Amino acid sequence: MVRVRFAPSPTGYLHLGNARTALFNYVYARHTGGKLVLRIEDTDKERSKKEYEEMLIDDLKWLGIEWDEGPDVGGDYGPYRQSERTDIYNQYLEKLKESGHVYKCYCTPEELEEERKKALAEGRPPRYSGKCRNLSLEEQKKLEEQGIPYVWRFRVPDGETIVFEDLIKGTVEINVNEFGDFVIIRSDGSPVYNFVVVVDDALMKITHVIRGEDHLSNTPKQILIYRALGFQEPKFAHLPIILGEDKSKLSKRHGAVSVRAFRDDGYVSEAMFNGLMLLGWHPKRDSEVISKEEIIQEFDIEDVHNAPAVFDRAKLKWLNGVYIREILDLEDLTRRAIPFFEKFGYKADFEYYKKVMEAIRDSLETLMDIGERARPFFIDNFPYDEDAKSFLEDETGYKVVQLFYEKVKQLDNITKEDFKKITKEIQKELKVKGKGLFMPIRVALTGKTSGVDIATLVEVIGKDRVLHRLERALEYFG
RNA sequence: GCCCCCGUCGUCUAGCCAGGCCUAGGACACCGGCCUUUCACGCCGGCGACACGGGUUCGAAUCCCGUCGGGGGCACCA
């Protein structure tokens, strides 16, 4: 049974990179019929916040990711919040003490920082010197009597090369001399990531660790701990990181990079899911528009591309448009669009929103575009664009609108068909066609030279509002 | 500085592991055309890449070596 996990630290919104990692884990779990565990890595008290955890969960759910075990749903391997697992970590720290894999280190952060700088300046890898490695009990006692705090360091065996098979990267070899004895318990007694991640993954029976490539160089440290504790190592798969336009790791500097931001900007979750998957993975067929179900069916972790990917906003936007105009069901789409209508102050009932969405969905890329494209359906007293005025300042144009007004007035109601019939009549009577015929009407009804299909517009807004707008235009340009 | 990872159109990628089917396929973007009462949508077409240099081979995008380039990591962060 495959067991994978997504283990974010609640230090902010759900970042696109993390979202993608979560997605790959989720999809892999579903593909293999395994389980996905959500674990909150909140060992950094300085940065972790409870409200961030809720936002994180909310964003994950919105994206369509479902987990089988986690802080909110429970499970057999909890607790799923690291801050609640302190006893467990202490228990395993004891084991490491007994086996002599760890020792106390009394060096101060200042001392270490100095060593670090010196090493860097001399072109050596900045690693811990091992100064406290062989302190005698008397020496330790003496230091403790002076009230000097200590951390627990893991004793790294000298010169060993750790080799592991990464499902994406292939064989990776790293010599442990690259890093010195590393801290696993802070001076305040709290455990550090590299230690807890191993204890948790092992105890939670994680079989595949799928995470960002930025963790690649941590892996040997973790493998050392797996071995020291006698745990079986999981399989590792390191996903290439996501880059910004400038090819550096995607961060806030690159603009909106949280799932929440895209959601607020009118992106639909299906498009985010699809789009994020495309960063490093590709369906077998040519079309890149692919549903969650099909992805789950087709996905395999070993098919993940191994080079970093630049996040392509334009493509995600296009994909979002595809979902809006071709894939989502009208009713569902309308429901999701309501917050956006409201945001722009466009008030109406559901049926009306639905008609509007039907009319404009083909021209939307994001739900935010509703502000622009839906305006003619809601705003009656609009300004006339400068470049649009000429159509009504033109004598024939003005006559077209006058005649159109007369004809609409005689109808009970106006439908698309009526509109076609009327304009055809005007065409004959005034001998105008094409732009000369439609533009004056368009400008009179919307104030613009471009936008939604006019026949549809008049049918949706109805006779009274059409008349009102025409009167207003005739008066304005008369 | 050291270590690790990576290098196919501007971008995401297919192909690479099992060398010939590749005068390198698709998608986004861009450009042009068509459709259309407008914008958009849609359709059609165009532009455009195997980082470089050696080797192995009858034959290399695919295998090997080197160079260059990019990225990540080197915390009492995760």
Side-chain angles (χ1 to χ4, degrees):
Chain A
M1 161 78 85
V2 166
R3 289 177 58 84
V4 295
R5 70 351 182 241
F6 174 57
S9 54
T11 54
Y13 44 65
L14 179 63
H15 183 273
L16 289 183
N18 287 141
R20 189 193 60 152
T21 302
L23 230 45
F24 279 47
N25 272 286
Y26 167 69
V27 168
Y28 187 63
R30 285 289 175 274
H31 175 76
T32 56
K35 302 281 187 210
L36 173 65
V37 175
L38 174 66
R39 184 174 71 225
I40 302 296
E41 308 220 325
D42 53 356
T43 55
D44 183 350
K45 297 178 199 110
E46 306 276 297
R47 300 196 302 165
S48 299
K49 286 206 179 113
K50 194 63 191 259
E51 55 262 43
Y52 287 146
E53 180 186 318
E54 281 159 33
M55 289 171 56
L56 219 49
I57 286 183
D58 199 41
D59 286 344
L60 288 169
K61 282 186 177 164
W62 178 77
L63 259 183
I65 295 175
E66 304 148 300
W67 47 98
D68 305 286
E69 297 168 29
D72 57 334
V73 293
D76 295 338
Y77 300 89
Y80 294 93
R81 235 175 245 116
Q82 290 186 329
S83 57
E84 294 165 12
R85 298 172 63 81
T86 315
D87 293 348
I88 298 171
Y89 305 135
N90 282 141
Q91 202 179 311
Y92 283 91
L93 171 63
E94 283 310 315
K95 288 200 177 191
L96 290 175
K97 285 187 204 169
E98 281 164 26
S99 58
H101 281 102
V102 292
Y103 63 88
K104 292 176 180 177
C105 168
Y106 299 86
C107 297
T108 64
E110 293 73 34
E111 278 177 275
L112 295 171
E113 184 54 28
E114 200 141 310
E115 272 186 36
R116 209 181 108 85
K117 276 187 187 151
K118 202 175 155 201
L120 242 24
E122 289 169 13
R124 288 179 288 118
R127 41 172 280 195
Y128 178 62
S129 65
K131 198 165 153 193
C132 301
R133 203 176 197 190
N134 298 307
L135 252 34
S136 66
L137 284 174
E138 291 77 55
E139 289 170 307
Q140 293 188 346
K141 204 176 164 197
K142 227 172 128 183
L143 288 161
E144 272 165 47
E145 275 165 3
Q146 289 171 46
I148 297 177
Y150 61 87
V151 299
W152 286 95
R153 278 186 192 274
F154 187 88
R155 203 182 290 274
V156 175
D158 188 47
E160 191 175 336
T161 296
I162 303 289
V163 182
F164 62 95
E165 283 303 314
D166 188 282
L167 262 22
I168 296 169
K169 301 290 177 190
T171 308
V172 179
E173 295 183 28
I174 298 177
N175 190 291
V176 298
N177 283 359
E178 288 316 315
F179 47 87
D181 296 346
F182 53 92
V183 175
I184 65 162
I185 303 289
R186 299 186 184 93
S187 52
D188 68 356
S190 65
V192 172
Y193 169 74
N194 280 125
F195 175 51
V196 298
V197 75
V198 170
V199 172
D200 290 343
D201 284 340
L203 262 32
M204 292 180 183
K205 301 267 193 297
I206 301 303
T207 58
H208 296 69
V209 171
I210 303 171
R211 76 227 303 193
E213 191 181 331
D214 42 345
H215 288 281
L216 192 62
S217 43
N218 274 323
T219 309
K221 291 182 188 172
Q222 293 163 17
I223 288 176
L224 249 21
I225 299 176
Y226 273 101
R227 292 181 185 169
L229 252 18
F231 288 140
Q232 205 202 330
E233 294 164 37
K235 289 197 161 75
F236 293 97
H238 287 94
L239 268 20
I241 57 163
I242 301 179
L243 273 24
E245 312 268 323
D246 64 352
K247 308 257 175 129
S248 68
K249 194 173 169 182
L250 190 69
S251 71
K252 309 102 233 159
R253 290 185 299 111
H254 298 101
V257 289
S258 67
V259 168
R260 186 66 61 110
F262 281 90
R263 181 177 168 180
D264 291 344
D265 282 346
Y267 283 74
V268 298
S269 63
E270 288 84 347
M272 289 299 291
F273 194 108
N274 191 157
L276 253 17
M277 281 305 300
L278 255 21
L279 258 27
W281 180 79
H282 198 270
K284 297 262 181 280
R285 51 150 187 263
D286 278 344
S287 172
E288 296 180 341
V289 181
I290 179 168
S291 71
K292 176 168 149 181
E293 290 68 30
E294 290 170 299
I295 291 171
I296 288 171
Q297 163 102 210
E298 211 182 294
F299 182 83
D300 197 331
I301 194 71
E302 300 189 29
D303 294 336
V304 175
H305 193 61
N306 58 7
V310 174
F311 174 55
D312 190 345
R313 278 169 203 280
K315 192 161 181 172
L316 182 63
K317 199 167 197 179
W318 162 79
L319 196 55
N320 198 58
V322 171
Y323 277 85
I324 289 177
R325 72 181 87 94
E326 294 173 22
I327 298 181
L328 295 176
D329 161 75
L330 179 62
E331 192 110 357
D332 178 26
L333 178 65
T334 305
R335 217 168 289 122
R336 302 193 207 195
I338 289 173
F340 292 87
F341 279 115
E342 287 172 347
K343 181 192 226 100
F344 292 106
Y346 301 158
K347 291 194 176 57
D349 61 22
F350 187 78
E351 283 310 307
Y352 190 79
Y353 282 147
K354 202 166 131 185
K355 279 184 200 160
V356 175
M357 281 311 279
E358 187 177 20
I360 67 169
R361 67 185 297 178
D362 275 354
S363 65
L364 304 180
E365 273 195 307
T366 71
L367 295 176
M368 203 62 127
D369 296 338
I370 284 173
E372 185 62 35
R373 303 295 303 197
R375 184 177 295 128
F377 293 91
F378 296 91
I379 309 295
D380 292 312
N381 301 315
F382 45 81
Y384 300 94
D385 281 0
E386 280 311 313
D387 64 336
K389 288 180 175 172
S390 62
F391 289 101
L392 282 168
E393 283 157 357
D394 172 75
E395 200 179 321
T396 316
Y398 190 82
K399 275 188 193 156
V400 167
V401 175
Q402 263 183 322
L403 189 52
F404 182 69
Y405 175 75
E406 295 304 329
K407 288 179 184 290
V408 174
K409 212 172 176 183
Q410 283 164 33
L411 297 168
D412 292 333
N413 206 342
I414 181 164
T415 63
K416 271 188 194 179
E417 288 66 38
D418 295 326
F419 178 82
K420 276 173 195 154
K421 200 174 130 233
I422 292 175
T423 48
K424 203 154 269 173
E425 287 169 11
I426 298 173
Q427 183 177 335
K428 276 186 193 153
E429 291 167 34
L430 297 180
K431 306 246 182 307
V432 285
K433 58 174 184 175
K435 285 190 183 184
L437 170 61
F438 293 97
M439 273 302 174
I441 299 174
R442 169 177 296 282
V443 174
L445 292 174
T446 69
K448 294 183 175 298
T449 56
S450 68
V452 71
D453 174 60
I454 293 295
T456 308
L457 176 72
V458 297
E459 179 173 292
V460 176
I461 65 177
K463 180 185 167 187
D464 292 347
R465 293 173 76 186
V466 168
L467 253 25
H468 168 81
R469 293 185 192 189
L470 294 174
E471 280 161 13
R472 187 167 164 261
L474 289 170
E475 190 176 326
Y476 187 94
F477 292 97

